[in-house]
Amino acid sequence: GLGKVSKHVLIYGAGGAGANLARELQLHIELGFRILGFIEEDEKVRREGRVIGIPVLGRGEDLPEICEKYRNK
């Protein structure tokens, strides 16, 4: 409901399963999840920049920097 604290989420993997998870989380806003983006190892997918409109933020090794960047958002 209104006023619910959102839980920020990074999804590891922007393939079929990751995209399906993102769609489900977007469909069920009452769960309170806010998708920050995908973590993806495939360089081609990272170059494209977005999957189903959600940004691809980097690779697994980039997680510390990505978490720091989004820590207070």
Side-chain angles (χ1 to χ4, degrees):
L2 292 176
K4 189 167 191 167
V5 176
S6 65
K7 302 166 200 85
H8 296 147
V9 176
L10 293 170
I11 298 175
Y12 201 111
N20 285 339
L21 174 59
R23 282 189 203 94
E24 286 297 316
L25 292 178
Q26 289 177 324
L27 191 60
H28 295 283
I29 57 171
E30 72 277 6
L31 297 175
F33 291 106
R34 178 170 169 247
I35 304 167
L36 297 177
F38 289 104
I39 304 299
E40 175 58 57
E41 299 301 326
D42 186 321
E43 184 180 343
K44 180 176 178 250
V45 175
R46 287 197 318 274
R47 266 199 315 263
E48 290 171 7
R50 289 185 170 271
V51 172
I52 64 166
I54 298 169
V56 179
L57 300 174
R59 300 170 19 180
E61 67 187 30
D62 302 322
L63 272 170
E65 292 85 10
I66 293 168
C67 289
E68 186 60 35
K69 178 179 178 181
Y70 289 94
R71 181 174 309 284
N72 296 313
K73 301 232 177 204

